[in-house]
Amino acid sequence: MELHILDHRLKIASVPRDNLHACTHGVFKLAFLAEKTRCKFFSFTQTPEDYTLIVDEEGLKEFPASERLTVADATWAALNVASGGGHSPAAASAVGVTKIAKSVIAPLADHNVSVFMLSTYQTDFILVRERDLPTVVRTLSAEFAIFREIDGEMEAIDNAAVSNGFVKPQNNRRPIIHPLACPLNRFCITSLDPATLPSVATLLMDIMFYSDGSKDTVSTAEDNSQHISFFSFSLIEGYASLVMDVQTLHRFPNNLLFTSSSNEMWKMVRIGGQPLGFGQLLTKFYECGIVAQISEPLASGDVLAYYISTYKFDHALVPEEEIDNAVSLLTFRPELSR
């Protein structure tokens, strides 16, 4: 297995739900006129709290400085795991966060390296702060052949040199300390040919800028309170990925989206009763290992999960038929079974 450190220097930003108008031009340009920019990495995720943007340095230039746009101080690097050969999202197919829980996420958490996850239709991006890259390489060098992308080419890193004298810590127990919620939405993870984006630009603009997700189509107040507004769109290295609920999916023309023949649906486990990660940074408190807390129990139960971190909350997507098993794994407390 290979670990690829991609040639992206990323920024993570948050826009309040009622202030997206301050960033609409930049979002529109990066989503629908990408060829007019030098941006290679753009991700937009809508949640009930805010919009989370992940962009490279060229993409960030499309957004004017504004008090409505909160940009985290750190610069992030993107990693992904590949079986060997190639470094584009098409070459490194998505494996789900649970497949890399023990080999990547847990060891990094043991070394106090926090990750920000973005699962897409094509692959799984593991974002780490640039300043943590030496620790990342030392931590994972025994498990992976590690390559770094330089000017479009992958160059091997001398793992023996960087791992010499590095002490492996004892595995830490990571109890799940944050509340979990399971909205009623059924989700789809899909893609489309970027060349078809102009044909659905009006629809995507409505979903991204004006629509409130499934709340537009839910009929009763009771149902409305148990569904959430969630939509994620990524355009990375020329590959498009979308995560949406089934109500939004039905708004797209037939045969436009790349969906599996089984029409697989996903359910969400939402992590956090209060803002995580960056929200805590504002109080100078930083928590590490949230992704590991969730991915390790799911991996132990062999439950596939894709994972999308946002500025304030985390979201694990599991196959619909596995949601009860996933909740059981995540809420089980060994100390209570004695």
Side-chain angles (χ1 to χ4, degrees), residues 265-269 298 303-305 316-320 322-323 326:
M265 289 290 138
W266 301 75
K267 297 286 281 187
M268 176 183 290
V269 178
L298 295 180
V303 176
L304 175 66
L317 293 162
V318 303
E320 185 175 30
E322 291 278 14
I323 185 62

Side-chain angles (χ1 to χ4, degrees), residues 125-139:
F125 294 99
I126 311 155
L127 274 56
V128 299
R129 289 169 174 80
E130 277 192 339
R131 63 172 180 263
D132 288 331
L133 279 176
T135 303
V136 170
V137 173
R138 290 195 298 267
T139 300

Side-chain angles (χ1 to χ4, degrees), residues 41-45 118-120 122 125 232-236 239-243:
F41 197 114
F42 167 68
S43 179
F44 169 100
T45 301
L118 177 64
S119 292
T120 68
Q122 292 82 14
F125 294 99
S232 185
F233 171 81
S234 299
L235 189 60
I236 300 171
Y239 295 90
S241 175
L242 303 97
V243 179

Side-chain angles (χ1 to χ4, degrees), residues 93 154 169 251 262 296 333:
S93 60
M154 285 292 175
R251 299 177 61 183
S262 61
E296 287 184 292
R333 298 291 185 269

